[in-house]
Amino acid sequence: MKYSRLYIVIISLFLGVLTSQAQRPKVPVKAAPKVAKPAPVVPTAEDLNFAKLLPSTAKVMFIDSLVTNEDDFLQHIPLSSSCGKISIKKSKKGKGNDYFYTNEFEDKRFSSILQDSVHVLLVEERLGKKWDAAKGITLEGVEDIICPYMMPDGVTLYFAAKGGEDSMGKYDIYYTIYDSDSHSFYKPQSLGLPFNSFGDETYYIIDDFNDLGYLVSNRRQPEGKTCVYVFQPTETRETYDEDMPEIELDRLARLKDIKDSQKDKEVLASAQSRLSAARQNKVAKKEHSFEFVINEKFVYHEISDFRSSVNKSQFPTYLNMKSSLETREKQLEEMRTRYHNGSKNLASAIADMEIEVFNERQKLILTEKQIRNTEIEAIGK
């Protein structure tokens, strides 16, 4: 009897619980919120160009970098006199700057003048004391050209511009070569990585006398600041090994840390020494201006060594021809490297330049023989 009551109490409690649950209103179950799928990342044209250029990143040692104000960076580039003169002035035709370059002999001047919100490139030549009227220069495929710099060879022109092939979006560094036969410049070529970036690059300068190069870029800099990178120029464009890890190559291409490029400590020390000397205006003079073999008895090192008055006046032209040929040979080698790295559109330009280089080399050899024969005659008198 005692157990029967216990069972009745348990059953009553159980039924009570069921009744109370039945009387509670049903709460609708909320569906789990839908998570929006992330939008696919669409690479920009600049991203695609970076990826295309990454395998052909130039192997360059950067020896120094200095962040400075955008309006006074030129004072931190200690160029030798052989580089000519660079100046920047406030534009009279708009908000911005005009850029000027005058060669060492002060007989040729390039200017980048602001007109209708873009810069146009002009050139002037001087005969005697008067400058000719400025002539416009049209360069295929680029626009808004600034910061011209002509190499001492008189044919290689570096500049910054927008909209060219392999553009990274803002101002990029390009180079072109002057063709004396057609009196025009070849289609400009991008310097690629690591010289260009998603920021603005302005000046690219090679100081042959001090064997130093300068790159001016505002990549990763706050507004109003820019960085002067100093690097060791190379005879020809070299690229990194194909088996280099992509993450390491990417760092080098973006100039994340210039120490990444400083592999050869001996070359680094030598370049830093030259840079220090250049900054202190204590540049060591070259041992000889040149070396020209007349015969087994005579080797000339100065123009004053020549006995022929004709050779004294014409030998500088020969030196310019030689420098021009050396530069063209370097550019041809660079174009061949880029061709092998995938720039198949350079095939026609390479074929044309090979013919020009051959013709220039033959002309140089003939001139050299004429100088040597004329000098031998002068010695024998």
Side-chain angles (χ1 to χ4, degrees), residues 210-269:
N210 292 316
D211 195 21
L212 296 170
Y214 299 91
L215 172 69
V216 182
S217 171
N218 69 1
R219 65 185 75 186
R220 299 188 298 276
Q221 298 301 323
E223 186 175 356
K225 295 289 186 178
T226 195
C227 185
V228 177
Y229 293 93
V230 188
F231 61 92
Q232 172 65 60
T234 57
E235 289 293 326
T236 58
R237 186 184 181 98
E238 298 180 30
T239 57
Y240 292 96
D241 295 336
E242 294 181 359
D243 57 355
M244 171 176 283
E246 186 169 331
I247 188 171
E248 184 177 343
L249 182 61
D250 186 90
R251 283 182 58 85
L252 290 163
R254 297 177 189 270
L255 281 183
K256 286 288 190 179
D257 189 337
I258 64 172
K259 291 182 180 179
D260 294 340
S261 68
Q262 297 172 356
K263 303 299 184 183
D264 192 324
K265 301 306 179 184
E266 188 173 329
V267 172
L268 175 63

Side-chain angles (χ1 to χ4, degrees), residues 41-59:
V41 177
V42 179
T44 65
E46 292 76 25
D47 293 329
L48 295 175
N49 281 338
F50 181 90
K52 181 179 75 171
L53 294 171
L54 184 61
S56 58
T57 298
K59 187 177 182 180

Side-chain angles (χ1 to χ4, degrees), residues 99-110:
Y99 304 85
F100 302 89
Y101 169 77
T102 305
N103 68 353
E104 177 187 10
F105 306 107
E106 298 187 351
D107 59 3
K108 182 172 287 188
R109 179 168 60 204
F110 291 88

Side-chain angles (χ1 to χ4, degrees), residues 190-374:
S190 167
L191 281 190
L193 304 171
F195 300 109
N196 290 325
S197 72
F198 296 112
D200 283 314
E201 278 66 51
T202 49
Y203 274 104
Y204 178 92
I205 303 167
I206 300 296
D207 184 342
D208 277 339
F209 185 80
N210 292 316
D211 195 21
L212 296 170
Y214 299 91
L215 172 69
V216 182
S217 171
N218 69 1
R219 65 185 75 186
R220 299 188 298 276
Q221 298 301 323
E223 186 175 356
K225 295 289 186 178
T226 195
C227 185
V228 177
Y229 293 93
V230 188
F231 61 92
Q232 172 65 60
T234 57
E235 289 293 326
T236 58
R237 186 184 181 98
E238 298 180 30
T239 57
Y240 292 96
D241 295 336
E242 294 181 359
D243 57 355
M244 171 176 283
E246 186 169 331
I247 188 171
E248 184 177 343
L249 182 61
D250 186 90
R251 283 182 58 85
L252 290 163
R254 297 177 189 270
L255 281 183
K256 286 288 190 179
D257 189 337
I258 64 172
K259 291 182 180 179
D260 294 340
S261 68
Q262 297 172 356
K263 303 299 184 183
D264 192 324
K265 301 306 179 184
E266 188 173 329
V267 172
L268 175 63
S270 176
Q272 288 177 333
S273 177
R274 295 194 307 276
L275 176 60
S276 177
R279 285 174 171 168
Q280 297 175 24
N281 293 322
K282 295 180 180 178
V283 182
K285 293 184 178 180
K286 291 183 177 179
E287 188 174 337
H288 301 301
S289 298
F290 56 84
E291 181 173 285
F292 189 85
V293 178
I294 303 299
N295 54 30
E296 66 277 4
K297 293 183 179 181
F298 296 94
V299 179
Y300 292 173
H301 299 295
E302 303 289 342
I303 292 179
S304 59
D305 293 339
F306 285 99
R307 301 185 186 184
S308 166
S309 59
V310 173
N311 284 342
K312 286 182 178 179
S313 62
Q314 293 186 352
F315 195 74
T317 302
Y318 164 81
L319 291 177
N320 287 335
M321 291 171 58
K322 184 178 180 181
S323 177
S324 175
L325 175 60
E326 290 173 350
T327 299
R328 283 181 179 270
E329 288 175 334
K330 291 178 185 177
Q331 302 293 353
L332 177 59
E333 188 61 31
E334 289 181 4
M335 291 172 68
R336 286 170 174 162
T337 300
R338 295 183 64 191
Y339 175 84
H340 289 300
N341 287 334
S343 299
K344 301 302 182 183
N345 60 324
L346 294 176
S348 178
I350 290 174
D352 291 341
M353 185 171 286
E354 284 176 338
I355 295 174
E356 293 170 7
V357 167
F358 175 81
N359 291 335
E360 286 190 23
R361 188 180 295 112
Q362 297 306 309
K363 185 177 180 180
L364 184 69
I365 293 173
L366 179 60
T367 302
E368 187 173 312
K369 288 181 178 179
Q370 291 173 342
I371 292 173
R372 186 173 289 112
N373 291 336
T374 302

Side-chain angles (χ1 to χ4, degrees), residues 68-243:
T68 181
N69 295 325
E70 283 187 343
D71 56 0
D72 65 0
F73 67 87
L74 279 178
Q75 68 179 354
H76 300 288
I77 303 180
L79 298 179
S80 64
S81 59
S82 63
C83 293
K85 298 178 181 178
I86 297 173
S87 62
I88 302 174
K89 299 178 181 178
K90 292 293 183 182
S91 175
K92 297 178 181 179
K93 297 184 179 181
K95 187 179 180 180
N97 295 321
D98 294 333
Y99 304 85
F100 302 89
Y101 169 77
T102 305
N103 68 353
E104 177 187 10
F105 306 107
E106 298 187 351
D107 59 3
K108 182 172 287 188
R109 179 168 60 204
F110 291 88
S111 54
S112 171
I113 307 299
L114 185 60
Q115 294 182 3
D116 299 327
S117 301
V118 296
H119 292 82
V120 296
L121 187 62
L122 306 172
V123 63
E124 303 166 80
E125 295 190 36
R126 185 174 68 178
L127 295 174
K129 296 182 179 180
K130 293 185 178 180
W131 289 91
D132 289 344
K135 300 176 183 178
I137 299 177
T138 301
L139 298 177
E140 182 183 352
V142 294
E143 59 186 15
D144 201 5
I145 301 167
I146 62 172
C147 306
Y149 174 73
M150 175 66 81
M151 288 290 290
D153 61 19
V155 296
T156 307
L157 179 67
Y158 293 100
F159 60 91
K162 293 181 178 179
E165 188 175 348
D166 297 330
S167 170
M168 301 295 288
K170 296 184 178 181
Y171 283 110
D172 292 312
I173 301 295
Y174 294 86
Y175 73 91
T176 181
I177 298 174
Y178 183 72
D179 180 8
S180 57
D181 293 330
S182 65
H183 302 288
S184 61
F185 287 92
Y186 287 102
K187 181 179 179 180
Q189 301 293 323
S190 167
L191 281 190
L193 304 171
F195 300 109
N196 290 325
S197 72
F198 296 112
D200 283 314
E201 278 66 51
T202 49
Y203 274 104
Y204 178 92
I205 303 167
I206 300 296
D207 184 342
D208 277 339
F209 185 80
N210 292 316
D211 195 21
L212 296 170
Y214 299 91
L215 172 69
V216 182
S217 171
N218 69 1
R219 65 185 75 186
R220 299 188 298 276
Q221 298 301 323
E223 186 175 356
K225 295 289 186 178
T226 195
C227 185
V228 177
Y229 293 93
V230 188
F231 61 92
Q232 172 65 60
T234 57
E235 289 293 326
T236 58
R237 186 184 181 98
E238 298 180 30
T239 57
Y240 292 96
D241 295 336
E242 294 181 359
D243 57 355

